[in-house]
Amino acid sequence: MNSLLESNVIFRNVYCFWAANPGNAEQCTPVGAVAVKDGLLPGGLEWLAYVMAGLSVILLIVNVYLVFAALYTYVDRRVLAKFQGRIGPNRVGPFGILQPLADGIKLMTKEDLVPAGADRWIFNLAPVVMMSSGILVLAVLPFGKDSFVVDLNIGILYVFAITGVNTLAMFMAGLASANRYAMFGGMRAVAQLISYEIPVVLSVVGIVMMAGTMSLVGIVEAQKVPFIFVQPLAFFVFIAGSSAEMNRSPFDQVEAEGEIIAGYHTEYSGMKFGVFQAAEFGAVLITSALIATLFLKGWEGPFLPSHVWFLLKLFFFAFIFIWIRATLPRLRIDQIMAYAWKFLLPLSLINIFVVAAEVLLLGDQITDSSGVSMDLTTSDMWIMAGINVVVAIVAVIGLAKITGMDARESTKVANVTRVIKGT
Amino acid sequence: MYGLGILKGLTVTMRNFFRKPFTVQYPEERVAQHPRFRGEEFTWYEERCTGCASCAKYCPLGIIKIVTHPGGEHVSEGQEYAIDVFDIDIGRCMFCGLCVEACPYDALFMGSGFEEGQYSRKDLVITKDRLIKADKKPSTWFRPQLESQQYNSQSESPVDWENAGREPWPYHMPVRPQSAEESLEQGEETK
């Protein structure tokens, strides 16, 4: 109870607004700015204030998340339009900023269809599962200095466990729709997302080894040098793998419009479809936030407030995802699977071995109450960064040569077709 | 190879990102339209139409409906018939322009607009009243006399029938003036 009050500013402010009294004065005095002598609730009801503080923090975070997801649909469309030489939505409100609102109203007033052969329960449950997995991740994301709901000591494990539920939601939607295209989408989602889960999780192992903790706050604090420099290989694997997990181009086989209509949400209409869309766009935000946290020092940065830094980094990566989406065409499903298993997985394993060896050689062993951990200084990290950049280039080129994923593959295919045709 | 192709692609899209969008915000701004554009809003000069129904005869789809009665009202240039009905069903029109080519009195011109969208197919039939009331902004398609005036329907004001011009030979002359080719042919025959 006390750890939340100490570490979380919003929580402490709300709590003290309701239940500040002489009994917990030492907890509420550090607030300073909000000079509340007496809380609104009488003494003995601190537990109620505690619940209310928790609820208000959750309400704030969930709503901010949803508003940002809605806003991101607008940003995505505008930026993508810019890449394609168009203007994008600019009719509703100033610069079209109210477009998400108009979309929401449109979706809500639309008829909510359920196919005749559908499994109603699962069909209705799928969007909820999809949305909740996105919202639950927010519990451990640090949005700024001392701004998080909980600082779980297994934060990053929790994030991967929760985002894994996405796969289930997509398969539920595909299975329950009684539609072959939706089924195809669901099957592809399972194949693709599970394949990419492995390299993504393994790429984070190197970070956990260096930080010595799984807590996201701990990882941010451990970054004396941004891990994007220290582990470029892990960064590459993470950004490629997570863009596959969000089903965004070039890995959007799951909802490939040209082949299987809309994939698993083919049969969804009205606000259920809207929830899927919001969850998908929210996933981009969450992934960008994760990348910013894991690789770019999270909220830390000079001059500006920590929340602004966090948002800047978040939108930087969100922009990069739009950029990639605007550039690359969709891959075939076999190419996607080969890329995960033949390329990203070995890369992440190489990263683990290299980082483990470096931590063992460069780190100083310290033993404290929490056990044995390795301490790395800033200069150690820069040395690692130098080694790892070379390792990354060698690994990418070498692996491309070994697995035949460089340009030779296409010539090989051309030769094969020539042999078949007999020319 | 080795991701360099991806980087090259990313630079290409980034170059496009800083380029000016080439789309046009339609209701506010428009693309410049060629004066010879064969538009939907036919321009018809009642004063010239004799009700000969050449246009109706030449229409490959038979979508022009003309009903006339002999004599009657004052018609400035063509005096024979008064027109009761002049309907063009642009719902089935393919804008080939054969009706305009066929008109011997230069009464029918292609229009310059493209905004005749309606909610019902019935309303797609352009009636005589609508043709009379419409802005006379003819296209210069198959009308060299209008084109030689440098008329542009987009930038200039409507043209009434007196200013719309005629084909070089006056229709009321009993014999059409011979062109150079025709006189040559005649000369050969007489020989």
Side-chain angles (χ1 to χ4, degrees):
Chain A
M1 181 167 174
N2 286 336
S3 67
L4 248 180
L5 278 173
E6 281 158 20
S7 58
N8 196 323
V9 177
I10 310 168
F11 189 90
R12 188 172 59 208
N13 275 325
V14 178
Y15 176 80
C16 294
F17 176 72
W18 286 103
N21 56 42
N24 53 20
E26 78 278 2
Q27 284 164 347
C28 286
T29 35
V31 178
V34 188
V36 181
K37 284 272 157 45
D38 290 310
L40 297 174
L41 289 170
L45 282 175
E46 280 88 357
W47 62 272
L48 189 60
Y50 197 78
V51 169
M52 284 166 104
L55 280 180
S56 50
V57 169
I58 290 166
L59 201 72
L60 184 76
I61 285 173
V62 168
N63 278 309
V64 167
Y65 168 71
L66 290 176
V67 167
F68 264 73
L71 208 64
Y72 182 69
T73 61
Y74 165 76
V75 172
D76 185 87
R77 289 171 69 179
R78 280 302 284 245
V79 174
L80 203 59
K82 200 86 182 58
F83 273 121
Q84 295 168 348
R86 299 183 283 119
I87 297 171
N90 64 345
R91 294 281 142 174
V92 194
F95 304 107
I97 194 106
L98 296 179
Q99 186 66 40
L101 198 71
D103 286 344
I105 291 169
K106 187 201 84 172
L107 286 172
M108 273 186 219
T109 49
K110 270 185 140 178
E111 189 185 356
D112 183 27
L113 289 166
V114 181
D119 191 335
R120 274 178 169 274
W121 266 95
I122 301 180
F123 187 82
N124 290 333
L125 206 60
V128 180
V129 173
M130 184 97 172
M131 196 66 180
S132 56
S133 79
I135 289 172
L136 281 173
V137 173
L138 298 171
V140 292
L141 273 183
F143 303 98
K145 207 166 167 40
D146 297 332
S147 305
F148 44 82
V149 183
V150 276
D151 179 16
L152 273 186
N153 55 358
I154 50 157
I156 191 74
L157 182 67
Y158 169 82
V159 168
F160 286 120
I162 292 296
T163 49
V165 177
N166 257 348
T167 320
L168 184 67
M170 286 179 198
F171 193 66
M172 279 163 72
L175 188 69
S177 290
N179 179 319
R180 279 165 191 82
Y181 291 114
M183 193 67 208
F184 282 143
M187 301 289 255
R188 285 182 181 187
V190 173
Q192 179 181 320
L193 267 67
I194 289 180
S195 301
Y196 275 88
E197 196 86 31
I198 296 162
V200 166
V201 173
L202 288 182
S203 72
V204 175
V205 171
I207 290 165
V208 174
M209 271 194 285
M210 280 187 69
T213 172
M214 276 187 168
S215 142
L216 287 171
V217 179
I219 287 173
V220 171
E221 279 162 357
Q223 290 182 50
K224 288 157 191 157
V225 177
F227 283 167
I228 186 171
F229 301 123
V230 183
Q231 300 189 26
L233 211 51
F235 174 70
F236 171 69
V237 173
F238 195 90
I239 204 165
S242 54
S243 81
E245 287 204 23
M246 296 180 300
N247 306 318
R248 282 169 76 85
S249 181
F251 304 103
D252 58 350
Q253 271 291 341
V254 173
E255 44 199 67
E257 298 93 348
E259 303 164 27
I260 48 172
I261 308 176
Y264 60 92
H265 57 63
T266 302
E267 288 292 349
Y268 283 87
S269 60
M271 206 50 212
K272 276 186 221 155
F273 172 75
V275 169
F276 270 123
Q277 287 288 306
E280 253 172 48
F281 281 105
V284 180
L285 288 180
I286 284 174
T287 311
S288 307
L290 259 184
I291 294 173
T293 309
L294 294 177
F295 292 98
L296 217 63
K297 282 179 123 178
W299 70 79
E300 282 180 11
F303 310 122
L304 294 170
S306 61
H307 297 82
V308 177
W309 267 113
F310 184 79
L311 278 182
L312 277 179
K313 288 166 183 173
L314 194 159
F315 274 107
F316 172 70
F317 282 112
F319 177 79
I320 282 184
F321 279 124
I322 303 173
W323 187 9
I324 291 172
R325 187 179 161 199
T327 305
L328 299 175
R330 186 184 306 133
L331 293 172
R332 273 197 327 255
I333 188 79
D334 64 319
Q335 289 168 331
I336 290 179
M337 301 304 270
Y339 190 65
W341 291 104
K342 283 158 78 179
F343 197 69
L344 289 185
L345 182 62
L347 275 189
S348 58
L349 288 176
I350 290 169
N351 183 60
I352 290 178
F353 284 127
V354 171
V355 171
E358 283 166 347
V359 170
L360 204 61
L361 292 173
L362 294 171
D364 310 311
Q365 197 171 348
I366 44 167
T367 314
D368 55 13
S369 59
S370 62
V372 184
S373 59
M374 306 298 277
D375 184 48
L376 292 159
T377 59
T378 312
S379 57
D380 287 341
M381 286 198 182
W382 279 118
I383 294 168
M384 285 178 75
I387 298 170
N388 282 347
V389 169
V390 177
V391 168
I393 294 168
V394 171
V396 167
I397 293 177
L399 207 60
K401 279 202 185 304
I402 291 167
T403 55
M405 295 196 81
D406 54 1
R408 280 180 303 164
E409 197 197 24
S410 54
T411 54
K412 241 187 277 170
V413 172
N415 285 336
V416 170
T417 47
R418 213 172 293 139
V419 169
I420 291 166
K421 281 180 186 165
T423 50
Chain B
M1 213 208 278
Y2 314 128
L4 293 181
I6 294 174
L7 289 182
K8 214 188 273 177
L10 287 174
T11 50
V12 169
T13 39
M14 199 28 113
R15 230 177 295 141
N16 275 298
F17 185 77
F18 292 110
R19 218 169 261 173
K20 234 182 95 207
F22 53 78
T23 45
V24 172
Q25 296 295 295
Y26 161 57
E28 288 97 41
E29 33 176 326
R30 286 149 183 274
V31 185
Q33 186 181 295
H34 197 274
R36 277 192 205 172
F37 177 70
R38 279 180 275 169
E40 286 179 343
E41 289 134 16
F42 283 90
T43 302
W44 178 63
Y45 293 114
E46 191 197 14
E47 295 88 343
R48 276 189 182 166
C49 187
T50 60
C52 70
S54 290
C55 44
K57 276 171 217 150
Y58 280 93
C59 179
L61 301 162
I63 55 172
I64 303 178
K65 181 186 179 189
I66 297 176
V67 178
T68 55
H69 66 264
E73 297 148 51
H74 167 73
V75 183
S76 308
E77 286 195 18
Q79 284 103 356
E80 304 308 317
Y81 291 99
I83 294 126
D84 301 326
V85 176
F86 193 103
D87 285 355
I88 305 176
D89 182 4
I90 59 163
R92 292 195 289 140
C93 182
M94 62 178 176
F95 305 101
C96 60
L98 283 179
C99 48
V100 179
E101 283 185 47
C103 183
Y105 302 105
D106 294 357
L108 193 61
F109 290 64
M110 292 306 288
S112 53
F114 51 89
E115 287 156 325
E116 283 288 302
Q118 305 288 353
Y119 284 102
S120 136
R121 296 190 75 163
K122 241 181 2 202
D123 299 336
L124 280 173
V125 179
I126 307 183
T127 59
K128 186 188 162 193
D129 294 339
R130 264 171 77 189
L131 282 168
I132 291 169
K133 267 183 234 154
D135 268 0
K136 310 281 189 203
K137 286 192 162 185
S139 156
T140 62
W141 187 81
F142 209 76
R143 290 287 180 252
Q145 74 273 23
L146 206 58
E147 200 163 21
S148 60
Q149 288 175 27
Q150 308 262 309
Y151 177 73
N152 186 344
S153 56
Q154 268 201 315
S155 52
E156 284 165 46
S157 50
V159 188
D160 58 9
W161 68 277
E162 280 149 326
N163 296 326
R166 288 300 311 263
E167 286 270 15
W169 67 278
Y171 72 99
H172 47 77
M173 273 175 69
V175 183
R176 183 179 162 187
Q178 284 179 340
S179 68
E181 279 173 320
E182 282 170 328
S183 56
L184 257 176
E185 278 169 17
Q186 271 191 351
E188 275 166 15
E189 277 168 22
T190 49
K191 268 176 194 172

